[in-house]
Amino acid sequence: MDDHRTKIAIVTGAGSGIGRAVAVELLRTGWSVTLAGRRAERLEETAALARAALADASPGADGEPAGKESTSLCVRTDVSRPEEVAALFAATRNHFGRLDLLFNNAGTFGPGGVPFEELPYEAWRHVIGTNLDGAFLCAQAAYRQMKEQDPQGGRIINNGSISAHTPRPRSAAYTATKHALTGLTKSLSLDGRPYRIVCGQIDIGNAATDMTSPMTTGALQANGEVAAEPVMDVGDVARTVRHMAELPLEANVQFATVLASGMPYVGRG
């Protein structure tokens, strides 16, 4: 990091999966973090896991910054609702005073395995509302705050997905949002330059979470077969996000792809 004060982050979707892993990693290593998600009890569980990780860590171990005290703030938030996103960022500003990082992570896959011609419009809108509208609302709120604060600037990291590159079968809504996030990432990177606001994207494949657990027993492949797929430790994703987050604002990981090395993505699969 480029100075010695405690850095402040917002992590959306912090109650489970990748969001939880990233939030715990940041808190464990000296960040203060606002945990955002739809279920308050899951956010409190994440905060408790971070406290336990801090208690178990020896001073200065594994990159833990010395002399920094991390704290968490839990804010129940539905990122698809503009008024709740506004309340999330206001709470962060009032509690911590500034914002250095938004990990724009909240998302949903939607109904899995539904043929495109049978996908209900309501399901399409739900995925768009969470994955794309929610990412826009959070990024815009972060951008406004980072532009106005002193010192100016900050970093936004969008959770893209391997689906930002290529789809799985029967994933039209999810894949459409993740392709759109790539465009949002590029636009934010360009528009944020005058204000020291940088934006990158992490595209993740088969991190071991509750959402990906069915892949270890069988996932639909492009040829119509069902096959088990390898997964990777979600902690490896969290450490990658922290590396991206802790670069000085003069440097940026524009796109990072982190995936289980044996998954059917590269080559003919």
Side-chain angles (χ1 to χ4, degrees), residues 234-255:
V234 71
D236 293 325
V237 175
R239 286 184 287 274
T240 303
V241 172
R242 180 164 71 90
H243 168 70
M244 296 169 69
E246 292 185 343
L247 290 171
L249 294 179
E250 291 72 26
N252 188 35
V253 176
Q254 187 67 65
F255 293 97

Side-chain angles (χ1 to χ4, degrees), residues 127-142:
V127 176
I128 298 295
T130 302
N131 296 7
L132 186 55
D133 294 347
F136 160 74
L137 290 168
C138 290
Q140 187 179 62

Side-chain angles (χ1 to χ4, degrees), residues 94-166:
N94 292 338
H95 191 81
F96 293 118
R98 64 175 288 110
L99 178 65
D100 299 290
L101 170 70
L102 166 65
F103 182 43
N104 223 352
N105 166 72
T108 180
F109 191 80
V114 177
F116 178 74
E117 68 274 18
E118 297 176 14
L119 182 66
Y121 177 70
E122 294 76 14
W124 168 270
R125 283 304 319 163
H126 175 66
V127 176
I128 298 295
T130 302
N131 296 7
L132 186 55
D133 294 347
F136 160 74
L137 290 168
C138 290
Q140 187 179 62
Y143 189 101
R144 287 169 172 167
Q145 185 166 335
M146 292 169 177
K147 180 180 176 182
E148 297 301 323
Q149 65 192 8
D150 183 23
Q152 190 180 61
R155 188 181 307 273
I156 298 168
I157 300 175
N158 292 325
N159 185 346
S161 170
I162 294 298
S163 291
H165 300 262
T166 190

